[in-house]
Amino acid sequence: DVKVTQSSRYLVKRTGEKVFLECVQDMDHENMFWYRQDPGLGLRLIYFSYDVKMKEKGDIPEGYSVSREKKERFSLILESASTNQTSMYLCATRGPSYEQYFGPGTRLTVT
Amino acid sequence: DQQVKQNSPSLSVQEGRISILNCDYTNSMFDYFLWYKKYPAEGPTFLISISSIKDKNEDGRFTVFLNKSAKHLSLHIVPSQPGDSAVYFCAAINQAGTALIFGKGTTLSVSS
């Protein structure tokens, strides 16, 4: 079974703080993704990575950056958190097929 | 511009009956579609997929139908169970084959 873990299930941060969300997978998958999920908006792609040190912007990259120094780990960084970044953040991986496997999510609240 | 649309935000069904969740897409170049199920406070889990060369794919109680000419797909759940109550997302693989494009989701409630 594919296992995707995220560093925190719930996180509360203050406006202006730098926030790191970490994702680790154990299946040696090349592709990793960060999404956010908001009510009524579905899942929106923030960034993805198809290899170590490679990254591509998704649909809503503004205010975010990512880091992939090792194949198994993909980090999402909020340089200066804002209240409109309060959301559920979901990490996913993908192997040779099209199916993506998601982690449990991090519910981030920015106050 | 939304490329994958789930026009019904919610659906209520009685236990034992059929649930039909619908999804429309705008890009005729999409050639692979997936359905995911999501419970609150959990990540989405993959349910079933279909390639554009097929018009039906079945897995137990779940069947996905694809109508390419109408750019429409549907997920049938028969019989529906209370544990099926969740948000269902339709997704298409993008033209580059690199990422999924998700619909906004349909919340299914199955009452016993």
Side-chain angles (χ1 to χ4, degrees):
Chain A
D1 273 0
V2 177
K3 186 150 186 179
V4 182
T5 57
Q6 294 184 229
S7 49
S8 305
R9 295 299 302 272
Y10 300 93
L11 210 52
V12 180
K13 295 291 181 180
R14 294 195 180 276
T15 302
E17 277 194 80
K18 190 168 186 175
V19 182
F20 292 87
L21 303 181
E22 299 248 302
C23 176
V24 178
Q25 51 110 349
D26 67 353
M27 284 303 293
D28 203 37
H29 284 173
E30 304 281 343
N31 301 282
M32 297 187 74
F33 306 81
W34 275 106
Y35 295 88
R36 62 178 282 178
Q37 184 205 356
D38 301 286
L41 296 178
L43 276 72
R44 294 180 293 166
L45 181 64
I46 304 171
Y47 268 97
F48 67 98
S49 168
Y50 51 89
D51 202 351
V52 175
K53 296 193 187 293
M54 306 302 287
K55 61 185 179 185
E56 291 281 344
K57 292 180 180 179
D59 299 319
I60 50 164
E62 297 78 19
Y64 303 95
S65 62
V66 290
S67 171
R68 186 137 181 232
E69 296 297 318
K70 293 185 178 181
K71 192 175 188 180
E72 67 271 18
R73 190 180 297 268
F74 190 35
S75 302
L76 180 70
I77 303 152
L78 288 67
E79 295 289 343
S80 177
S82 63
T83 54
N84 63 11
Q85 293 179 309
T86 291
S87 186
M88 167 73 95
Y89 289 88
L90 294 157
C91 174
T93 75
R94 197 190 92 195
S97 66
Y98 288 135
E99 290 83 16
Q100 291 187 12
Y101 301 90
F102 285 83
T106 296
R107 170 71 65 186
L108 173 67
T109 302
V110 182
T111 60
Chain B
D1 186 27
Q2 217 184 330
Q3 299 188 69
V4 177
K5 301 178 186 179
Q6 293 177 258
N7 292 319
S8 299
S10 62
L11 175 67
S12 294
V13 170
Q14 282 196 314
E15 182 178 8
R17 308 293 289 265
I18 184 171
S19 296
I20 300 177
L21 296 103
N22 293 304
C23 179
D24 297 296
Y25 60 96
T26 58
N27 190 334
S28 57
M29 300 300 290
F30 288 158
D31 62 5
Y32 198 85
F33 303 90
L34 306 90
W35 284 93
Y36 281 81
K37 172 181 176 179
K38 186 181 183 300
Y39 293 118
E42 291 185 16
T45 53
F46 169 72
L47 259 182
I48 192 169
S49 62
I50 189 166
S51 164
S52 61
I53 62 173
K54 296 186 173 182
D55 54 18
K56 177 182 173 182
N57 189 24
E58 194 170 352
D59 183 1
R61 295 186 298 115
F62 301 91
T63 303
V64 56
F65 295 91
L66 175 62
N67 182 333
K68 283 188 69 177
S69 60
K71 297 195 189 73
H72 177 83
L73 62 156
S74 60
L75 174 68
H76 293 212
I77 307 173
V78 184
S80 302
Q81 299 172 353
D84 295 329
S85 298
V87 180
Y88 289 79
F89 291 100
C90 171
I93 188 74
N94 68 359
Q95 282 182 251
T98 53
L100 293 178
I101 301 169
F102 284 87
K104 294 184 178 181
T106 297
T107 300
L108 174 65
S109 299
V110 181
S111 56
S112 53

